[in-house]
Amino acid sequence: MVCGGFACSRNALCALNVVYVLVGLLLIGVAAWGKGFGVVPSLHIIGGVIAVGFFLLLIAIVGLIGAINHHQVMLFFYMIILGLIFIFQFGISCACLALKTHKQESILSSTWNLLNDNTRISLENKLDCCGLFNKTESAELFKRDVENCSAPCTKTKIACLKCGVVLMEHADEALKILGGVGLFFSFTEILGVWLAMRYRNQKDPRANPSAFL
């Protein structure tokens, strides 16, 4: 069977969707890891990445079933939804890579201000740090956080790190991984649309010759 044949198109589409399943799981996992570290609970980009990963996982399963059964309707919706996911994922990935340090700090600060004292203390204990950023506009809050801090580092002679430094490190790492992986695999989704379109229009040699589909 030549590479442009029916079996080759089916196998290529199945293999691509297996990769999409793995990518979807990776995006969800990394985003959940970044969110679990307290990397800005209100950061909508993280939530957007989780949504993209979830829908990519769903559409990959639909694509696998459609490819195995040569199901015309499923393949049609697969092409449409995968094209929409490409647009959304491309935009989210660019946003992850383009989010500047000062913007991350601004979002972190605004979110930190919304947290109550107990939540901030719990986060400090989890990350072993005290306060967020010691800046002029938040000096009073930083001083109060340090006084209330009960992180393990306060029981040592070594000065505690600022939580902003710890969070920024994890945020930057998570955003770079998410942006890079998302951007790279967003272009493979164009290949998936093309393969599905090509495979959908090919005739199944095992099918009844008199059947329309």
Side-chain angles (χ1 to χ4, degrees):
M1 184 66 68
V2 295
C3 190
F6 179 86
C8 180
S9 297
R10 182 187 60 209
N11 293 338
L13 194 57
C14 286
L16 192 61
N17 280 291
V18 170
V19 173
Y20 289 160
V21 169
L22 298 176
V23 173
L25 291 173
L26 179 63
L27 289 175
I28 293 171
V30 174
W33 168 77
K35 196 174 180 67
F37 261 108
V39 182
V40 198
S42 66
L43 188 57
H44 298 305
I45 288 178
I46 298 292
V49 171
I50 293 176
V52 168
F54 176 75
F55 282 111
L56 187 59
L57 191 61
L58 267 181
I59 196 61
I61 294 172
V62 171
L64 272 173
I65 298 172
I68 292 171
N69 298 317
H70 198 230
H71 197 287
Q72 296 291 308
V73 176
M74 292 184 78
L75 288 172
F76 173 77
F77 283 107
Y78 171 79
M79 291 188 300
I80 299 298
I81 297 174
L82 192 62
L84 294 175
I85 288 177
F86 161 75
I87 296 172
F88 188 57
Q89 184 173 331
F90 182 80
I92 288 290
S93 299
C94 290
C96 284
L97 295 173
L99 196 62
K100 301 297 183 183
T101 301
H102 67 87
K103 182 63 177 176
Q104 293 179 38
E105 290 181 356
S106 175
I107 297 173
L108 269 173
S109 298
S110 60
T111 304
W112 187 268
N113 292 337
L114 296 175
L115 301 177
N116 58 45
D117 290 342
N118 291 333
T119 304
R120 285 199 291 267
I121 291 171
S122 175
L123 190 57
E124 288 171 341
N125 289 332
K126 181 180 179 181
L127 299 178
D128 194 16
C129 57
C130 291
L132 188 67
F133 296 116
N134 189 12
K135 295 185 176 181
T136 305
E137 61 272 16
S138 58
E140 186 178 341
L141 177 61
F142 179 80
K143 182 180 178 181
R144 190 169 77 244
D145 287 337
V146 172
E147 290 174 351
N148 296 333
C149 185
S150 59
C153 62
T154 58
K155 300 177 177 62
T156 65
K157 295 181 180 180
I158 303 174
C160 292
L161 290 173
K162 299 180 184 68
C163 291
V165 175
V166 179
L167 289 172
M168 285 295 294
E169 180 183 343
H170 291 301
D172 190 57
E173 186 178 353
L175 289 173
K176 282 181 179 177
I177 294 173
L178 290 171
V181 171
L183 190 63
F184 175 78
F185 282 102
S186 66
F187 291 105
T188 67
E189 287 156 11
I190 296 296
L191 174 63
V193 172
W194 176 79
L195 267 176
M197 186 182 302
R198 184 166 179 262
Y199 175 63
R200 186 171 179 266
N201 293 326
Q202 287 179 318
K203 187 176 181 62
D204 188 349
R206 302 169 301 176
N208 184 352
S210 62
F212 178 72
L213 295 177

